[in-house]
Amino acid sequence: MNKLTNTGRISTVLVILLLVSLWFFPMWRIDLAAPQYPGGLTMTIWINDIQGDVDVINGLNHYIGMQTIHKEDFREFIYMPLAMMIFIAMGLGVLAWNRRAGYYTWTLLFLVLASLSFYDFYKWEYDYGHNLDPNAPIQVPGMAYQPPLIGYKKMLNFEVLSQPHVAGWCYILAGVILVAITIYEYKKSRQNA
Amino acid sequence: MKKFLLFSLSLGAVALLPSCKMKTAETAVSGDAASKVYVAPGKYDEFYNFVSGGFNGQVSVYGLPSGRLLKIIPVFSVFPENGYGYSEETKAMLNTTAGLIPWDDQHHLTLSQTNGEQDGRWLFANANNTPRVARIDLTTFKTVEILQLPNSAGNHSSPYLTENTEYVVAGTRFAVPIGEQQDVPISSFKENFKSTVSFISVDKNSGRMNVAFQVVLPGMDLDLSRAGKGPSHGWFFFSTYNTEQANTLLEVNASEKDKDFIVAINWQKAEAYAKAGKGKKMKVQYAHNVFHEEEQSATSTTETEVIVLDPNELKDIVYMIPCPKSPHGCDVDPSGEYIVGSGKLAALIPVFSYQKIIKAIDAKDFEGDYQGIPVLKYNTVLHGEVQKPGLGPLHTEFDANGNAYTSMFLSSEIVKWNVKSLEVLDRAPTYYSIGHLCVPGGDTKKPWGKYVIAYNKITKDRYLPTGPELAQSAQLYDISGEKMKLLLDFPTVGEPHYAQAIAADMIKDKSVKIYDINKNKHPYVAMGEKNAKVVRKGNRVDIYMTAIRSHLNPDNIEGVYVGDEVYFHVTNLEQDWDVPHGFAIKNNPNAELLIMPGETVTLKFVPEKAGIYPYYCTDFCSALHQEMQGYLRVSPKGSNVPLKFGTGEMKAVAANQ
């Protein structure tokens, strides 16, 4: 009796497809603008990589003693794809099992993963922005360079804008769908009871 | 009464004075000129204007319509401000069979063409004094090849080119003896002196130049030239003077005859003869200098042979067209049908018809020969004469609407006339004494039109005075309407002769921003700071140095001795746009280096005294630019200071080298 509705099953497929986009598009983008960089600088974060003007940003950051960014330093780039693959596989399990309980668990897991990811991202940004080389050539007392998790911030001569990229929006949409359908399924189950 | 009359007369004269004032230059500009040349901050000019540097030996690049100087490209002269001709990598570019020549006289420029239209790939430049032709790459704005010309002197009628850049041409202004015996009396001009025209082939893909063949002509002065296009593709036309063959006081002796010639060369036929082995292989020596992009270094090789064609044996490759009074400019209109000869002492401009020339040649309708070369009849091949155009016609460029613009040196004006009807349409004064002029694309099948730029020979009062030596004066005119309108004066460097202009869109997006460090194959590159090192071999010390904001590595070097040959190979590790580093060291009788991102450049230094020699970055690169410095310790010869280097931490070099 606790079988998924058609809507529920379709949403499972949809969520899986949305998550697959993580391998084709960046999740996040951080844009920097300053007068001497007329074209701006962009850093894009993928599920397993970091791209864009990373070298240029690293070159700039040495003045204020920020750590340089290297793909190899992020264990996340191994864990994240793995976690998402397992999550997608579970989604297939939810479809096969076709029970509401499965769907609820899947949603719960998604929320846990998402919270962990954002916490991790924030922690990295905090560390990156605060943990400065004490011997840095330029030291501004009280200044930290933590990029915004999402949104706009002005830091010294740079303006910084942080926002989701294509796959990031897909991911967020997947979360919205999961929560919405969970509520929908829950209501349906109550009606039938 | 008499007194009163005198008084009133002089009063009258004073009152009349202002109205008797002559017309001045200021009155020539109309109201909306400023808005037409205003390029707002952050906006780009519409055209690149490549302007020959004349006696500075370089090429300068201006933006149009603003007249702003964008860059000086070093070509035939050393350029201490970026190390051209001083760095080990570029010394070979200026090599000749007479050694490194640090200067030349750069007169003419031609942009490469495909199908008779500008293609924005390369710019060719001539050296007048020590005959050479250079090729500049328009992605890097760098001189990448210089070819010396054998059997040549005064390479003036150069580097004009054919409509697909098959050949760049180089004709001699000075006839000189060629071959083995060159120590001859000057008075033996008529028998021993020859003019030559070199046809330099250009590789379609690489641009690499090669002297394909030379046509030897009787001794005279070849002045300017143009290739035929469209129907006349396959022909080349040269103006000549001193066909009197004078070797002294040319001012008088070379102006004796009523007519000199335009030399028409059927280069396609000449090319076929050369390929068929009809030419003579001549032993000569000339330098061929190539800048290799990947190694970022130039090499100079000596070529030893040239194919020479003699029109007295190969009868159907050269013809002479009589042209009044020492012609200078020799220009072909966009249709390829009309050839304009400008006799600089003539009071008219003859225009010849290509079809009539071919007809006369086919009919063998000659009036005689000049030293064995057939001479066509002036009236038979003439399309017509522009009557009373002005005084001293020099050069002609064209717009896209069938009009020609001729510079008049003596009457100091530009004259606009219709090529077909030969009717004078307009004249505009120039300040002062115009030499060359340039319409964007005005020498191609498809002129861009829009502007004509005058490159004046005399400046006088055009700008704030700067002592006896003044800047040169260029002027921009709007030619989009029926009447030419003066828009702008702009000072130029060197002494511009010919110039070319091309739409900015043809070049700007191809412009290289940085050199990819991963493609750097320089033999002395330091790939990353951990590869910075110092190596001694005998008395040669190679310093593999890196530069990145804001330090040089190594910045402390010890164990170098007086008399050592020290080579600073500086690699700029930056990979960001517009972050060059510079390099200079105290008491070095050499120049500085400018090193672009991803590039390696070498500066040689032979210290003559023991002591401490500071070195530093000379291009303001960052907030910590002033900290980007280092010290070289030089010890007396034979002392035992060990070789050590480093930045932060000193590393010793194993002593067994």
Side-chain angles (χ1 to χ4, degrees):
Chain A
M1 201 64 268
N2 269 322
K3 285 193 174 155
L4 277 170
T5 62
N6 264 339
T7 317
R9 277 196 298 276
I10 290 165
S11 79
T12 313
V13 176
L14 202 63
V15 166
I16 289 172
L17 287 177
L18 285 169
L19 294 179
V20 167
S21 76
L22 285 166
W23 279 269
F24 297 97
F25 298 100
M27 301 190 294
W28 219 261
R29 65 180 290 167
I30 299 177
D31 293 288
L32 295 105
Q36 50 282 65
Y37 289 87
L41 295 171
T42 299
M43 190 165 82
T44 52
I45 301 164
W46 294 64
I47 191 168
N48 52 7
D49 199 2
I50 189 153
Q51 289 183 0
D53 304 305
V54 180
D55 291 338
V56 179
I57 292 168
N58 280 341
L60 281 168
N61 287 353
H62 93 274
Y63 291 115
I64 45 177
M66 288 170 84
Q67 305 152 65
T68 51
I69 305 167
H70 300 283
K71 184 187 165 185
E72 301 77 42
D73 298 344
F74 292 93
R75 282 165 305 168
E76 287 87 341
F77 290 153
I78 299 162
Y79 298 149
M80 269 196 307
L82 196 66
M84 284 330 283
M85 272 191 268
I86 292 169
F87 184 77
I88 287 169
M90 286 176 69
L92 296 173
V94 169
L95 266 184
W97 192 33
N98 200 16
R99 291 287 191 285
R100 283 188 171 124
Y103 199 92
Y104 298 160
T105 320
W106 202 44
T107 303
L108 189 69
L109 188 65
F110 182 92
L111 293 176
V112 170
L113 273 177
S115 314
L116 276 175
S117 301
F118 275 103
Y119 175 67
D120 182 70
F121 186 35
Y122 176 84
K123 229 180 59 174
W124 170 77
E125 284 191 335
Y126 183 90
D127 175 59
Y128 184 62
H130 287 82
N131 192 358
L132 306 174
D133 182 351
N135 297 319
I138 300 175
Q139 301 199 16
V140 183
M143 185 73 193
Y145 305 98
Q146 182 179 356
L149 193 61
I150 183 161
Y152 170 90
K153 196 171 170 185
K154 170 110 184 160
M155 295 192 299
L156 294 187
N157 57 330
F158 273 93
E159 295 178 89
V160 185
L161 185 64
S162 176
Q163 59 187 317
H165 208 297
V166 173
W169 286 116
C170 289
Y171 186 80
I172 291 167
L173 188 60
V176 171
I177 291 173
L178 280 171
V179 172
I181 300 298
T182 298
I183 294 167
Y184 173 79
E185 290 286 345
Y186 180 69
K187 280 190 173 163
K188 280 274 174 192
S189 69
R190 291 286 293 262
Q191 280 168 20
N192 297 338
Chain B
M1 185 65 205
K2 227 181 190 178
K3 243 185 186 171
F4 175 71
L5 204 72
L6 210 68
F7 176 71
S8 53
L9 268 177
S10 48
L11 198 74
V14 169
L16 277 172
L17 260 183
S19 60
C20 282
K21 223 171 137 191
M22 300 225 207
K23 203 182 158 191
T24 59
E26 296 101 72
T27 56
V29 187
S30 58
D32 59 344
S35 66
K36 288 193 172 160
V37 297
Y38 182 68
V39 178
K43 298 280 183 231
Y44 294 138
D45 277 294
E46 193 183 350
F47 291 96
Y48 282 102
N49 188 199
F50 295 96
V51 181
S52 61
F55 45 56
N56 80 1
Q58 320 291 36
V59 170
S60 33
V61 188
Y62 297 85
L64 295 178
S66 73
R68 296 180 294 192
L69 176 64
L70 305 176
K71 186 180 171 64
I72 295 175
I73 307 170
V75 186
F76 294 114
S77 294
V78 293
F79 201 56
E81 86 170 60
N82 75 356
Y84 182 80
Y86 294 96
S87 72
E88 294 307 299
E89 288 77 5
T90 54
K91 280 177 181 170
M93 289 306 284
L94 297 175
N95 190 41
T96 69
T97 48
L100 188 151
I101 295 182
W103 171 89
D104 215 302
D105 185 17
Q106 201 283 299
H107 276 225
H108 310 126
L109 297 169
T110 313
L111 289 159
S112 56
Q113 295 179 17
T114 304
N115 297 322
E117 292 172 37
Q118 293 172 334
D119 59 22
R121 301 176 74 192
W122 306 301
L123 179 71
F124 296 90
N126 74 323
N128 209 19
N129 183 45
T130 302
R132 283 169 288 172
V133 167
R135 181 169 56 89
I136 295 154
D137 185 328
L138 293 180
T139 61
T140 56
F141 283 55
K142 217 171 176 171
T143 306
V144 290
E145 190 174 8
I146 291 183
L147 181 63
Q148 197 184 357
L149 296 158
N151 298 334
S152 173
N155 179 38
H156 193 263
S157 41
S158 177
Y160 299 99
L161 47 81
T162 55
E163 69 177 24
N164 291 304
T165 320
E166 293 99 336
Y167 291 100
V168 169
V169 91
T172 55
R173 168 190 169 180
F174 291 102
V176 283
I178 62 173
E180 297 284 302
Q181 180 58 305
Q182 304 200 350
D183 177 19
V184 296
I186 298 170
S187 58
S188 69
F189 185 107
K190 286 185 179 144
E191 56 214 88
N192 287 324
F193 287 42
K194 297 286 172 205
S195 303
T196 63
V197 172
S198 303
F199 284 86
I200 301 165
S201 61
V202 178
D203 185 273
K204 227 183 268 174
N205 302 313
S206 68
R208 194 66 75 89
M209 302 189 287
N210 180 39
V211 182
F213 57 91
Q214 289 186 320
V215 177
V216 180
L217 297 168
M220 57 186 154
D221 291 34
L222 294 169
D223 204 359
L224 286 158
S225 63
R226 287 293 184 185
K229 42 181 167 277
S232 54
H233 179 59
W235 287 80
F236 231 111
F237 305 96
F238 297 80
S239 59
T240 68
Y241 60 102
N242 192 26
T243 52
E244 295 86 350
Q245 298 194 309
N247 57 279
T248 181
L249 198 63
L250 264 64
E251 194 179 355
V252 175
N253 294 334
S255 308
E256 266 174 13
K257 283 209 279 189
D258 184 45
K259 288 193 175 70
D260 290 279
F261 300 108
I262 283 180
V263 181
I265 298 184
N266 186 336
W267 63 260
Q268 277 182 339
K269 212 158 235 180
E271 176 188 55
Y273 283 139
K275 280 185 181 157
K278 295 274 170 72
K280 205 174 68 190
K281 279 184 183 161
M282 199 169 166
K283 290 277 163 233
V284 286
Q285 290 212 316
Y286 56 103
H288 191 176
N289 311 331
V290 178
F291 190 83
H292 306 276
E293 186 76 30
E294 290 212 316
E295 289 81 17
Q296 302 176 349
S297 309
T299 54
S300 181
T301 42
T302 305
E303 311 267 2
T304 56
E305 202 176 71
V306 69
I307 295 171
V308 170
L309 302 178
D310 182 353
N312 275 317
E313 289 165 17
L314 307 164
K315 290 284 183 196
D316 53 354
I317 54 173
V318 184
Y319 301 89
M320 307 286 242
I321 303 162
C323 189
K325 288 278 176 196
S326 304
H328 189 56
C330 170
D331 299 289
V332 181
D333 88 311
S335 76
E337 166 61 15
Y338 300 109
I339 300 121
V340 182
S342 303
K344 55 186 181 274
L345 304 175
L348 50 80
I349 304 172
V351 179
F352 302 98
S353 154
Y354 171 71
Q355 281 181 31
K356 288 184 179 175
I357 293 169
I358 292 306
K359 234 187 194 169
I361 290 171
D362 288 344
K364 296 205 185 321
D365 186 9
F366 307 133
E367 67 173 31
D369 72 295
Y370 176 80
Q371 316 234 349
I373 298 169
V375 178
L376 297 162
K377 288 177 184 155
Y378 179 72
N379 285 317
T380 316
V381 297
L382 188 72
H383 161 63
E385 293 168 340
V386 184
Q387 296 299 333
K388 295 192 180 156
L391 289 176
L394 291 186
H395 305 280
T396 303
E397 294 262 294
F398 305 89
D399 67 16
N401 309 315
N403 300 312
Y405 300 81
T406 301
S407 59
M408 299 286 170
F409 178 78
L410 292 174
S411 52
S412 187
E413 60 187 337
I414 300 173
V415 173
K416 176 183 179 182
W417 50 277
N418 185 281
V419 178
K420 268 201 187 124
S421 72
L422 304 169
E423 186 189 346
V424 173
L425 302 172
D426 188 26
R427 48 183 75 240
T430 61
Y431 305 94
Y432 304 92
S433 296
I434 180 175
H436 279 272
L437 78 179
C438 160
V439 172
D443 62 326
T444 67
K445 274 188 186 168
K446 272 217 180 129
W448 303 92
K450 199 153 183 177
Y451 302 112
V452 61
I453 309 106
Y455 301 94
N456 300 310
K457 293 292 166 201
I458 295 169
T459 307
K460 304 256 190 205
D461 61 347
R462 297 308 288 175
Y463 310 105
L464 285 174
T466 55
E469 195 178 340
L470 303 169
Q472 307 286 322
S473 150
Q475 292 183 298
L476 180 78
Y477 297 79
D478 180 354
I479 57 167
S480 54
E482 285 199 359
K483 297 280 170 197
M484 293 178 273
K485 279 188 202 146
L486 176 60
L487 298 178
L488 179 74
D489 269 26
F490 61 101
T492 52
V493 293
E495 190 212 6
H497 294 260
Y498 189 45
Q500 293 250 283
I502 181 170
D505 291 339
M506 299 282 295
I507 290 178
K508 72 173 165 55
D509 298 329
K510 297 191 288 191
S511 202
V512 167
K513 289 184 169 148
I514 59 161
Y515 296 101
D516 184 350
I517 186 102
N518 299 312
K519 288 187 183 146
N520 183 328
K521 299 241 168 68
H522 193 290
Y524 292 97
V525 64
M527 279 288 186
E529 289 197 60
K530 56 180 183 294
N531 294 313
K533 61 181 175 185
V534 180
V535 178
R536 172 185 283 283
K537 261 186 206 144
N539 71 336
R540 180 184 167 117
V541 179
D542 287 299
I543 301 166
Y544 297 65
M545 184 178 281
T546 62
I548 191 160
R549 286 164 290 175
S550 304
H551 54 275
L552 295 158
N553 195 341
D555 68 4
N556 280 206
I557 304 164
E558 295 192 351
V560 168
Y561 310 129
V562 168
D564 279 347
E565 291 191 345
V566 184
Y567 293 89
F568 291 92
H569 310 284
V570 189
T571 300
N572 181 349
L573 295 176
E574 309 280 356
Q575 287 290 276
D576 194 5
W577 190 22
D578 197 22
V579 192
H581 290 292
F583 183 83
I585 183 161
K586 187 188 168 186
N587 284 3
N588 189 12
N590 200 341
E592 67 145 352
L593 300 176
L594 277 193
I595 312 120
M596 297 303 124
E599 212 179 20
T600 304
V601 194
T602 304
L603 192 70
K604 187 180 175 182
F605 176 43
V606 184
E608 288 179 354
K609 267 187 190 164
I612 299 290
Y613 291 83
Y615 53 85
Y616 66 104
C617 170
T618 54
D619 186 324
F620 202 106
C621 56
S622 69
L624 298 168
H625 162 71
Q626 286 295 86
E627 282 75 3
M628 199 162 170
Q629 62 177 48
Y631 291 108
L632 169 72
R633 175 183 171 190
V634 175
S635 306
K637 207 171 186 136
S639 58
N640 56 3
V641 178
L643 192 59
K644 275 200 298 192
F645 65 91
T647 292
E649 217 174 300
M650 293 292 272
K651 290 179 214 160
V653 177
N656 60 354
Q657 288 175 18

